[in-house]
Short mmCIF file of all heavy atoms in Angstrom, two decimals:
data_model
loop_
_atom_site.label_atom_id
_atom_site.label_comp_id
_atom_site.label_asym_id
_atom_site.label_seq_id
_atom_site.Cartn_x
_atom_site.Cartn_y
_atom_site.Cartn_z
N MET S 131 3.23 -18.35 -30.64
CA MET S 131 4.62 -18.78 -30.55
C MET S 131 4.87 -19.58 -29.21
O MET S 131 4.44 -19.20 -28.14
CB MET S 131 5.55 -17.48 -30.41
CG MET S 131 7.03 -17.85 -30.37
SD MET S 131 8.07 -16.35 -30.46
CE MET S 131 7.75 -15.66 -28.86
N PRO S 132 5.47 -20.78 -29.26
CA PRO S 132 5.61 -21.63 -28.09
C PRO S 132 6.73 -20.99 -27.20
O PRO S 132 7.56 -20.22 -27.75
CB PRO S 132 6.10 -22.97 -28.68
CG PRO S 132 6.70 -22.61 -29.98
CD PRO S 132 5.91 -21.46 -30.50
N TYR S 133 6.70 -21.35 -25.97
CA TYR S 133 7.77 -20.93 -25.07
C TYR S 133 8.05 -21.98 -24.08
O TYR S 133 7.16 -22.81 -23.74
CB TYR S 133 7.39 -19.56 -24.35
CG TYR S 133 6.04 -19.56 -23.74
CD1 TYR S 133 5.93 -19.99 -22.40
CD2 TYR S 133 4.97 -19.09 -24.36
CE1 TYR S 133 4.72 -19.94 -21.76
CE2 TYR S 133 3.72 -18.96 -23.72
CZ TYR S 133 3.58 -19.43 -22.45
OH TYR S 133 2.35 -19.41 -21.76
N ASP S 134 9.27 -22.06 -23.56
CA ASP S 134 9.66 -23.00 -22.64
C ASP S 134 10.59 -22.27 -21.68
O ASP S 134 11.80 -21.98 -22.00
CB ASP S 134 10.38 -24.18 -23.34
CG ASP S 134 10.74 -25.29 -22.41
OD1 ASP S 134 10.60 -25.17 -21.15
OD2 ASP S 134 11.13 -26.39 -22.92
N VAL S 135 10.14 -21.93 -20.46
CA VAL S 135 10.88 -21.06 -19.59
C VAL S 135 11.18 -21.77 -18.25
O VAL S 135 10.33 -22.31 -17.60
CB VAL S 135 10.13 -19.80 -19.23
CG1 VAL S 135 10.75 -18.92 -18.24
CG2 VAL S 135 9.78 -19.03 -20.58
N ARG S 136 12.40 -21.73 -17.89
CA ARG S 136 12.84 -22.18 -16.53
C ARG S 136 12.90 -20.94 -15.66
O ARG S 136 13.72 -20.05 -15.89
CB ARG S 136 14.19 -22.89 -16.60
CG ARG S 136 14.71 -23.28 -15.24
CD ARG S 136 13.94 -24.52 -14.67
NE ARG S 136 14.25 -25.71 -15.41
CZ ARG S 136 13.77 -26.88 -15.13
NH1 ARG S 136 12.97 -27.04 -14.02
NH2 ARG S 136 14.08 -27.99 -15.87
N VAL S 137 11.99 -20.89 -14.69
CA VAL S 137 11.89 -19.66 -13.86
C VAL S 137 13.05 -19.56 -12.93
O VAL S 137 13.29 -20.47 -12.09
CB VAL S 137 10.59 -19.64 -13.11
CG1 VAL S 137 10.41 -18.33 -12.25
CG2 VAL S 137 9.41 -19.78 -13.98
N PRO S 138 13.87 -18.53 -13.01
CA PRO S 138 15.05 -18.37 -12.09
C PRO S 138 14.50 -18.24 -10.65
O PRO S 138 13.40 -17.73 -10.38
CB PRO S 138 15.73 -17.05 -12.58
CG PRO S 138 15.22 -16.95 -13.97
CD PRO S 138 13.84 -17.42 -13.98
N GLU S 139 15.32 -18.64 -9.66
CA GLU S 139 15.04 -18.40 -8.29
C GLU S 139 14.80 -16.97 -7.97
O GLU S 139 15.53 -16.10 -8.46
CB GLU S 139 16.16 -19.00 -7.40
CG GLU S 139 16.21 -20.52 -7.44
CD GLU S 139 15.02 -21.15 -6.84
OE1 GLU S 139 14.26 -20.58 -6.02
OE2 GLU S 139 14.75 -22.38 -7.23
N GLY S 140 13.78 -16.68 -7.20
CA GLY S 140 13.59 -15.26 -6.82
C GLY S 140 12.79 -14.52 -7.87
O GLY S 140 12.60 -13.30 -7.70
N ARG S 141 12.29 -15.22 -8.91
CA ARG S 141 11.50 -14.51 -9.97
C ARG S 141 10.22 -15.28 -10.22
O ARG S 141 10.03 -16.46 -9.71
CB ARG S 141 12.33 -14.44 -11.28
CG ARG S 141 13.57 -13.64 -11.11
CD ARG S 141 14.33 -13.50 -12.40
NE ARG S 141 13.67 -12.57 -13.32
CZ ARG S 141 13.92 -11.28 -13.36
NH1 ARG S 141 14.81 -10.72 -12.53
NH2 ARG S 141 13.30 -10.52 -14.28
N LEU S 142 9.30 -14.66 -10.92
CA LEU S 142 7.97 -15.24 -11.14
C LEU S 142 7.59 -15.14 -12.62
O LEU S 142 7.92 -14.13 -13.29
CB LEU S 142 6.88 -14.52 -10.28
CG LEU S 142 7.13 -14.49 -8.82
CD1 LEU S 142 6.11 -13.47 -8.14
CD2 LEU S 142 6.93 -15.84 -8.17
N PHE S 143 6.87 -16.15 -13.07
CA PHE S 143 6.28 -16.13 -14.45
C PHE S 143 4.74 -15.85 -14.28
O PHE S 143 4.06 -16.59 -13.56
CB PHE S 143 6.46 -17.42 -15.15
CG PHE S 143 6.17 -17.44 -16.62
CD1 PHE S 143 7.14 -17.08 -17.57
CD2 PHE S 143 4.89 -17.79 -17.07
CE1 PHE S 143 6.80 -17.03 -18.91
CE2 PHE S 143 4.60 -17.73 -18.41
CZ PHE S 143 5.55 -17.40 -19.36
N LEU S 144 4.27 -14.74 -14.90
CA LEU S 144 2.94 -14.32 -14.70
C LEU S 144 2.16 -14.14 -16.01
O LEU S 144 2.76 -13.79 -17.06
CB LEU S 144 2.92 -12.98 -13.96
CG LEU S 144 3.71 -12.92 -12.71
CD1 LEU S 144 4.95 -12.03 -12.82
CD2 LEU S 144 2.88 -12.45 -11.53
N LEU S 145 0.90 -14.50 -15.97
CA LEU S 145 0.02 -14.40 -17.15
C LEU S 145 -1.34 -13.72 -16.74
O LEU S 145 -1.73 -13.80 -15.56
CB LEU S 145 -0.25 -15.77 -17.75
CG LEU S 145 0.93 -16.54 -18.32
CD1 LEU S 145 0.55 -17.89 -18.79
CD2 LEU S 145 1.63 -15.74 -19.45
N GLY S 146 -2.02 -13.16 -17.71
CA GLY S 146 -3.36 -12.68 -17.50
C GLY S 146 -4.38 -13.72 -17.77
O GLY S 146 -4.10 -14.68 -18.52
N ASP S 147 -5.55 -13.60 -17.20
CA ASP S 147 -6.61 -14.54 -17.45
C ASP S 147 -7.28 -14.38 -18.81
O ASP S 147 -7.85 -15.35 -19.38
CB ASP S 147 -7.68 -14.45 -16.37
CG ASP S 147 -7.26 -14.95 -14.99
OD1 ASP S 147 -6.12 -15.40 -14.94
OD2 ASP S 147 -8.04 -14.83 -14.01
N HIS S 148 -7.19 -13.19 -19.34
CA HIS S 148 -7.67 -12.90 -20.70
C HIS S 148 -6.41 -12.80 -21.60
O HIS S 148 -5.86 -11.70 -21.82
CB HIS S 148 -8.53 -11.60 -20.72
CG HIS S 148 -9.19 -11.36 -22.02
ND1 HIS S 148 -9.90 -10.26 -22.26
CD2 HIS S 148 -9.23 -12.09 -23.19
CE1 HIS S 148 -10.41 -10.27 -23.52
NE2 HIS S 148 -9.96 -11.42 -24.04
N ARG S 149 -5.98 -13.92 -22.04
CA ARG S 149 -4.66 -13.98 -22.73
C ARG S 149 -4.47 -13.09 -23.88
O ARG S 149 -3.42 -12.55 -24.16
CB ARG S 149 -4.32 -15.38 -23.11
CG ARG S 149 -4.27 -16.40 -21.92
CD ARG S 149 -3.06 -16.24 -21.11
NE ARG S 149 -3.20 -16.65 -19.75
CZ ARG S 149 -3.12 -17.92 -19.26
NH1 ARG S 149 -2.93 -18.88 -20.13
NH2 ARG S 149 -3.31 -18.15 -18.02
N SER S 150 -5.59 -12.80 -24.64
CA SER S 150 -5.52 -12.01 -25.88
C SER S 150 -5.43 -10.49 -25.52
O SER S 150 -5.10 -9.64 -26.41
CB SER S 150 -6.65 -12.19 -26.78
OG SER S 150 -7.90 -11.89 -26.19
N SER S 151 -5.62 -10.10 -24.22
CA SER S 151 -5.59 -8.72 -23.82
C SER S 151 -4.57 -8.41 -22.80
O SER S 151 -4.56 -7.32 -22.19
CB SER S 151 -7.03 -8.32 -23.27
OG SER S 151 -7.99 -8.30 -24.29
N ALA S 152 -3.69 -9.35 -22.55
CA ALA S 152 -2.70 -9.19 -21.42
C ALA S 152 -1.28 -9.11 -21.98
O ALA S 152 -0.82 -9.90 -22.74
CB ALA S 152 -2.77 -10.41 -20.52
#
Side-chain angles (χ1 to χ4, degrees):
M131 186 175 71
Y133 52 86
D134 187 349
V135 176
R136 177 72 69 176
V137 183
E139 291 295 335
R141 300 183 72 89
L142 303 168
F143 190 88
L144 305 112
L145 297 175
D147 290 356
H148 189 182
R149 298 285 154 82
S150 61
S151 294

